[in-house]
Amino acid sequence: MEGIGPMSKEHVQEVMKAEAAALSKLRHPSILEMVEPLEETRNELIFATEPILSSLDMSIPRGSHYTPPVELDEIEIQKGILQLCKGLSFLHSSAKLIHSNLKPECIIINEVGDWKISGLGQTIPLMAADGSPSRWEFPGFDGRVPSYVQRSFDYIAPEYALDEVLVTASDMYSLGAVIYAVHCRGKPPFQNHGSLGSVRDNAGRSIPDVGKLDTDLQGLLRSLITRGSQSRPTPSTLPSHPFFSSLPISTLSFLDRSNFTAKTREEKISFMKGLAGVLGKFSEGLRTRKILPSLLEEMKDTHLLPYILPNVFAISNILSAAQFAQLVLPSLKPLFTVKDPPQNMLTLLNNLEMLQSKTEKGVFREQVLPLVYNALESEHSFVQERALGVVPNLCETIDYAEVSGVLFPRVALVFTKTKLLTVKVATLTTFLSMVKTLDQTNLTQKLCPLLSKIRTKEPAVMMATLSVQEAMGFKIDREAVATLVLPQLWSMSIGPLLNVQQFQRFMAVIRKLGERVDKEHNQFLRDSQRIEDRSTPANGVASPNFDSGVDFETLVGRSNANIKPDTVVDGSKSWDDDVWGSIFNDTLEAPGQLVATTATTQTMTDSAVPPTQLPQTQSLPSSPRLGPPRLGAKPSPSSSFEQIGLLNNTPTTSPTTSHLAPTSATAARLSPTLRYTLLQLRSLIIIYPSPISQQPHPTLFHPLLAIPHRNISLLRQLCPHTQFLHLRYKPHLFLWDLCWRLCNLLAAVATNKPVTKDDWGDFDPLK
């Protein structure tokens, strides 16, 4: 208010105080609402109203380069005019006031898009306090004073300015001028520039450029912008004009709170059904600010939810994610647990994709996914089937941990409990879609056992199971296909209710999966054989040297000098108690058989020692047990050992080491258990050539872990460099180390090659 005189400043303050006083007294949906009363300081007048978006003057489009705060379409304008009529009717009938200053600056659009009347600082009462008619005031104009606090000559009625008449119809003239300005880019019908002379000159003229407007709008303006006040419609009769007879306007009028609450439930249901076809005629702003809040407010009635929710989701499609989270989601969250009526869950599930696109990932998991879980537990089969139908899309969008840990078990629970054929088939269809998402562990350990419990012979269930098994058959490993999938398919294929086409379908899948097992397992065996063939002559062992060698008996005989307590041979123990078997006999060779001993301990003669002369505790015997093999085992042909380097039927011995060379008879009398064990160890080292790259399955080491303590000492003497500490704590390292040394040793014995440091090796698997 800088630059104005004291009198003008005082006038402005009086108008603002009068406006605050009027707003605090007048309460109506079409009157601007005051939320904080007036506070007056030395330099300020402060009061607070409801949140607003804009004034009507700022929202009128004036050109292509101007972007109004609120976009106005015809329906929005018609709705606003009807709201102004309600406000004027309240002022004229209840408050007994004439606004006298109705113009675009005094019309406010609030945050929900409603038009509200303000500028009440210059209202004129129809009757004075003493009951006499109010006195007319001259409409002065001061260009230095803000237009908001003085009457505009562009919107003032002629009878007020020229005839000094106070009638409520003057506000209807101003309303007509406002309607004209809204449709003509903010220009009033007559621009008087604050001059009463111009008002007098234009009072009898026809409305300019009215022919360019819609026919119904032309009739409305001609009835309002007139020289005389008697022919003008009142605020109560104006809504019945044909200009307001469009279906969207009737829809908004029906949805208005004052009307909708009085309608019966049947009328509300019929309205909600028809609303979906009319929503497209409303602007986005009107749908968001006016219709959506009204729908959300009516969601308290659960019986109306199946009819309200489709309209809510139709409007939600145009909202941003932030708007949806702020406006709609809080009202929807309580509905995710409402199971009755079941149509509620069906509608929510049908729009689950939209819910997911409008919410953040964490919010969707915590607040929306419980809807799916509750639907899976529903007592209504059609709700369960619909919930199962949305699972495939969820598997592709939510976290795998949520799928495998929560969603998959809940679907499996439905599959286990349901007794309805349609739900059972729908669950199997869901499993089929989840196969590409679940890993092999879930498929092999959870889904396969679950499907194996199917006992029904219904073709629909069997064919759905076939599709799931076929999809799994190309994802899980061949062992699971051979042991879990194919047996069930063979069993189902002979179902008595299958027709020819269905049986042929089973056979086609069985052949397809069988071919996969055949191909992959054949390849596996070829690869294993190739590795075995490559590892036999190599494995870091030098080529056999036939010039000299130490025979097996001589090598073992060297351990006689190192007798320890754990080498005691317990005669009471049976052969079956020792998983390794009796590697050597507790009797000596027949007469004439040479026995190797170490030079530092004892020297044995060529004569045989009777068994009765042997002590109860003795060192490792130097020759295999004579007599028939135990358990009826027959000696294997020597050719079976030639392939693995255990035996050479034609050994070549040097004169100096002939007493160390094993004979074919000695090798042939090796214990069957020894042969089996050595073969087993040799196969293991071929399969697992590296002690570090992978750790074999623990069941492969059961024979090793069962070695009695008394035989560990024998093995230690046999392979003195082996890391026996690994036997208990790292069996795979012990196995690899022991096999390495035994193979080198046996190769040397079979070829009469002297045992050297290279044969024993200094390999340490930990290095």
Side-chain angles (χ1 to χ4, degrees):
M1 294 189 297
E2 297 179 359
I4 63 176
M7 297 295 293
S8 299
K9 185 175 182 180
E10 184 179 354
H11 173 71
V12 171
Q13 292 176 345
E14 290 178 357
V15 172
M16 295 302 297
K17 290 179 182 180
E19 167 128 14
L23 292 178
S24 64
K25 295 177 182 179
L26 302 175
R27 298 290 182 178
H28 189 270
S30 296
I31 303 295
L32 186 64
E33 180 182 0
M34 175 184 282
V35 295
E36 292 292 340
L38 176 66
E39 292 184 6
E40 183 177 359
T41 65
R42 184 172 183 179
N43 299 319
E44 296 176 331
L45 295 173
I46 304 173
F47 62 91
T49 66
E50 62 180 302
I52 64 174
L53 294 178
S54 168
S55 67
L56 179 61
D57 182 64
M58 297 175 61
S59 298
I60 297 176
R62 289 177 169 82
S64 58
H65 300 289
Y66 178 75
T67 303
V70 179
E71 295 183 5
L72 301 177
D73 61 359
E74 193 60 34
I75 299 175
E76 183 92 27
I77 294 172
Q78 292 178 10
K79 174 191 72 69
I81 294 172
L82 292 176
Q83 289 175 334
L84 295 179
C85 288
K86 292 178 181 180
L88 290 175
S89 178
F90 169 76
L91 289 177
H92 298 166
S93 302
S94 300
K96 304 298 182 179
L97 296 174
I98 301 174
H99 192 284
S100 75
N101 191 29
L102 191 65
K103 54 188 176 182
E105 293 93 335
C106 296
I107 298 173
I108 303 300
I109 302 176
N110 69 0
E111 61 179 354
V112 297
D114 292 333
W115 289 17
K116 300 292 187 82
I117 296 176
S118 66
L120 300 175
Q122 293 181 314
T123 57
I124 302 174
L126 293 176
M127 303 295 292
D130 56 0
S132 61
S134 296
R135 185 173 60 88
W136 177 81
E137 297 179 2
F138 179 79
F141 180 81
D142 187 352
R144 297 169 299 175
V145 177
S147 61
Y148 181 81
V149 296
Q150 59 182 337
R151 296 179 179 91
S152 173
F153 279 35
D154 295 338
Y155 295 91
I156 197 171
E159 67 272 11
Y160 178 82
L162 303 178
D163 303 335
E164 301 181 2
V165 176
L166 296 177
V167 291
T168 57
S170 298
D171 288 339
M172 300 307 294
Y173 178 95
S174 301
L175 179 61
V178 169
I179 296 173
Y180 182 93
V182 170
H183 288 89
C184 296
R185 297 189 177 184
K187 294 181 179 180
F190 305 103
Q191 294 181 343
N192 298 314
H193 305 289
S195 171
L196 283 176
S198 297
V199 173
R200 185 179 298 108
D201 295 339
N202 294 324
R205 296 175 57 186
S206 61
I207 306 173
D209 299 328
V210 72
K212 299 179 181 179
L213 303 177
D214 182 74
T215 304
D216 291 335
L217 179 57
Q218 292 180 31
L220 177 66
L221 293 176
R222 289 191 176 103
S223 66
L224 291 173
I225 305 175
T226 61
R227 175 65 179 84
S229 60
Q230 296 79 8
S231 61
R232 296 173 193 156
T234 66
S236 300
T237 61
L238 186 66
S240 61
H241 192 276
F243 177 71
F244 302 102
S245 62
S246 63
L247 182 60
I249 291 299
S250 302
T251 301
L252 292 176
S253 299
F254 189 96
L255 190 59
D256 187 81
R257 181 185 301 178
S258 60
N259 295 329
F260 197 77
T261 54
K263 305 297 182 181
T264 64
R265 180 174 293 173
E266 290 73 18
E267 290 176 332
K268 292 179 179 179
I269 291 176
S270 300
F271 172 79
M272 292 300 172
K273 288 181 178 179
L275 180 60
V278 186
L279 283 176
K281 298 181 179 181
F282 296 97
S283 64
E284 293 185 4
L286 195 57
R287 279 180 279 177
T288 303
R289 295 190 303 268
K290 186 62 181 177
I291 300 178
L292 181 60
S294 300
L295 296 178
L296 295 177
E297 186 177 355
E298 296 297 328
M299 286 171 56
K300 299 175 183 178
D301 188 351
T302 57
H303 294 87
L304 291 178
L305 284 176
Y307 312 100
I308 296 177
L309 287 175
N311 297 306
V312 171
F313 285 118
I315 299 175
S316 299
N317 284 324
I318 64 175
L319 299 178
S320 64
Q323 289 177 318
F324 181 83
Q326 180 183 1
L327 301 177
V328 182
L329 188 60
S331 300
L332 292 180
K333 279 197 300 183
L335 305 181
F336 294 156
T337 57
V338 177
K339 297 183 179 180
D340 290 316
Q343 289 80 6
N344 295 342
M345 280 196 167
L346 282 180
T347 305
L348 292 171
L349 291 171
N350 290 335
N351 293 274
L352 187 65
E353 186 175 354
M354 191 274 293
L355 287 172
Q356 188 173 7
S357 64
K358 298 292 185 180
T359 55
E360 297 179 356
K361 196 172 184 180
V363 175
F364 180 79
R365 182 181 66 254
E366 296 175 2
Q367 300 182 12
V368 183
L369 269 185
L371 164 67
V372 181
Y373 302 149
N374 291 329
L376 290 174
E377 299 172 358
S378 174
E379 298 176 354
H380 305 279
S381 60
F382 56 89
V383 176
Q384 287 184 318
E385 292 177 24
R386 188 65 191 93
L388 292 170
V390 303
V391 170
N393 183 61
L394 290 177
C395 292
E396 298 178 356
T397 54
I398 63 177
D399 294 337
Y400 178 76
E402 185 77 18
V403 174
S404 61
V406 182
L407 187 58
F408 176 51
R410 289 179 181 267
V411 176
L413 185 62
V414 175
F415 176 80
T416 304
K417 289 186 175 182
T418 185
K419 297 181 180 179
L420 299 176
L421 179 62
T422 55
V423 178
K424 183 76 74 173
V425 174
T427 311
L428 289 169
T429 304
T430 304
F431 284 149
L432 177 61
S433 64
M434 299 180 77
V435 167
K436 60 182 179 181
T437 303
L438 297 174
D439 57 12
Q440 289 191 9
T441 302
N442 279 291
L443 295 177
T444 305
Q445 299 181 4
K446 296 181 181 180
L447 187 53
C448 283
L450 189 65
L451 298 180
S452 66
K453 297 179 181 179
I454 297 177
R455 296 294 179 264
T456 179
K457 300 299 181 182
E458 286 291 336
V461 176
M462 297 176 69
M463 298 307 296
T465 306
L466 175 64
S467 299
V468 179
Q469 296 282 31
E470 180 182 13
M472 283 198 304
F474 291 98
K475 188 169 183 179
I476 59 179
D477 54 36
R478 67 183 187 282
E479 290 84 355
V481 175
T483 58
L484 300 177
V485 176
L486 287 176
Q488 184 182 16
L489 294 184
W490 276 112
S491 176
M492 284 187 168
S493 65
I494 59 174
L497 302 180
L498 295 178
N499 56 32
V500 176
Q501 291 77 14
Q502 292 170 339
F503 174 75
Q504 291 176 350
R505 170 81 172 126
F506 265 95
M507 291 298 100
V509 174
I510 290 174
R511 284 193 295 269
K512 190 184 302 182
L513 297 181
E515 290 174 357
R516 182 210 164 187
V517 174
D518 181 20
K519 179 180 178 181
E520 293 185 7
H521 198 64
N522 269 313
Q523 186 63 39
F524 169 76
L525 294 177
R526 292 192 191 96
D527 294 341
S528 299
Q529 185 63 40
R530 188 179 302 111
I531 295 173
E532 182 178 355
D533 294 342
R534 292 177 179 176
S535 61
T536 298
N539 285 337
V541 180
S543 300
N545 184 1
F546 295 97
D547 295 338
S548 61
V550 180
D551 67 325
F552 195 78
E553 297 180 27
T554 304
L555 179 65
V556 175
R558 293 178 180 175
S559 64
N560 291 342
N562 299 321
I563 300 176
K564 296 183 179 180
D566 60 357
T567 62
V568 176
V569 179
D570 189 355
S572 63
K573 296 289 185 179
S574 65
W575 180 84
D576 301 303
D577 294 334
D578 188 358
V579 296
W580 284 77
S582 299
I583 298 180
F584 297 103
N585 194 359
D586 56 356
T587 60
L588 300 178
E589 287 287 351
Q593 179 67 39
L594 297 178
V595 179
T597 61
T598 57
T600 61
T601 57
Q602 60 181 340
T603 304
M604 300 188 65
T605 62
D606 294 339
S607 62
V609 179
T612 57
Q613 298 179 4
L614 292 176
Q616 293 298 323
T617 302
Q618 61 181 354
S619 62
L620 184 67
S622 58
S623 62
R625 185 187 301 273
L626 295 176
R630 299 190 181 189
L631 297 182
K634 298 180 181 181
S636 300
S638 59
S639 59
S640 64
F641 292 90
E642 292 174 352
Q643 298 178 357
I644 59 171
L646 292 178
L647 178 63
N648 188 344
N649 286 335
T650 58
T652 303
T653 60
S654 63
T656 58
T657 60
S658 60
H659 64 286
L660 299 177
T663 64
S664 59
T666 300
R669 287 194 297 273
L670 289 175
S671 168
T673 303
L674 173 62
R675 299 170 184 170
Y676 172 79
T677 302
L678 297 179
L679 287 172
Q680 188 181 40
L681 293 176
R682 183 177 180 276
S683 64
L684 288 176
I685 195 172
I686 292 174
I687 297 175
Y688 299 100
S690 172
I692 302 301
S693 61
Q694 58 180 328
Q695 182 169 342
H697 196 274
T699 55
L700 297 175
F701 305 108
H702 289 170
L704 294 177
L705 297 179
I707 299 175
H709 284 281
R710 67 177 185 274
N711 286 346
I712 294 178
S713 178
L714 303 183
L715 291 173
R716 184 178 290 111
Q717 296 177 33
L718 182 65
C719 300
H721 297 282
T722 302
Q723 302 292 333
F724 280 84
L725 180 62
H726 304 327
L727 176 60
R728 299 299 174 187
Y729 301 99
K730 298 181 180 179
H732 64 293
L733 299 180
F734 165 78
L735 171 65
W736 203 93
D737 190 16
L738 179 61
C739 290
W740 177 275
R741 302 179 192 284
L742 284 178
C743 287
N744 291 346
L745 174 64
L746 294 175
V749 171
T751 57
N752 294 324
K753 173 182 172 294
V755 180
T756 64
K757 183 177 183 299
D758 293 333
D759 294 322
W760 290 112
D762 56 355
F763 173 80
D764 186 353
L766 294 178
K767 293 182 179 180

